[in-house]
Amino acid sequence: MTANPIELAMYSASQLFLTPVLILIGLLFVHAFYALGAFIWQAWQRHNGQAGGFELAAALSRNPQMTLTELEALATKRMEFARIATRIAPMLGLVATMIPMGPALMALSDGQMADVSRNLTVAFSAVILALMAASISYTVVNVRRRWYAVDLAAIEHDAPQPQRDHDPVAVMALEGAR
């Protein structure tokens, strides 16, 4: 059975995307570890009560005219790329899994097991890296979202920023228990 021109065109077009998708997955993987390092550094600063760990309070001290809406926009902007990465990385992983499957199935039908193995290795490696990037980014985004919510609440209530050895979440929990 021969493929029609539309099928051949679609197959050829899909194969063009493998390299760019693999490059994007690699970049997202590297970015996830960069974001994780920045997150750990910020967590250390917050734990030690250093101003650098409280980005929104620092931004407000640099510009006291900022509104809560502007601070929320800053927090959203700060998390934007990582939020996008959490959603895009798994999609790219799926694309990078499916693209090599066509050549793998064609090689299987021709009995070329080495080509099948090579294509499946690319497919599974890409999806693993993409899911790792997404999971790291997801964790960073969700903890930062909580931090920013706590910071915004403290700013809104005109409360001083937590001092050394105080956890802002614990402070908020105690206030809520009263």
Side-chain angles (χ1 to χ4, degrees), residues 95-112:
V95 170
T97 301
M98 298 310 295
I99 292 173
M101 292 301 235
L105 292 173
M106 288 173 54
L108 182 62
S109 70
D110 293 339
Q112 300 170 348

Side-chain angles (χ1 to χ4, degrees), residues 8-72:
L8 288 174
M10 289 180 77
Y11 174 79
S12 297
S14 70
Q15 295 306 304
L16 293 174
F17 288 102
L18 183 58
T19 301
V21 167
L22 292 176
I23 290 170
L24 286 172
I25 289 172
L27 291 173
L28 288 172
F29 188 74
V30 169
H31 177 268
F33 279 95
Y34 171 78
L36 181 62
F39 168 77
I40 290 169
W41 178 249
Q42 185 178 8
W44 183 83
Q45 288 177 316
R46 290 178 71 87
H47 176 74
N48 291 316
Q50 295 179 0
F54 301 91
E55 294 175 80
L56 301 180
L60 186 61
S61 69
R62 285 190 304 272
N63 183 2
Q65 312 306 339
M66 289 184 84
T67 65
L68 280 176
T69 304
E70 291 170 329
L71 289 170
E72 287 175 19

Side-chain angles (χ1 to χ4, degrees), residues 147-166:
W147 286 350
Y148 292 150
V150 168
D151 293 351
L152 284 169
I155 290 168
E156 183 177 22
H157 291 95
D158 209 18
Q161 287 298 310
Q163 298 300 317
R164 186 169 215 251
D165 296 327
H166 285 107

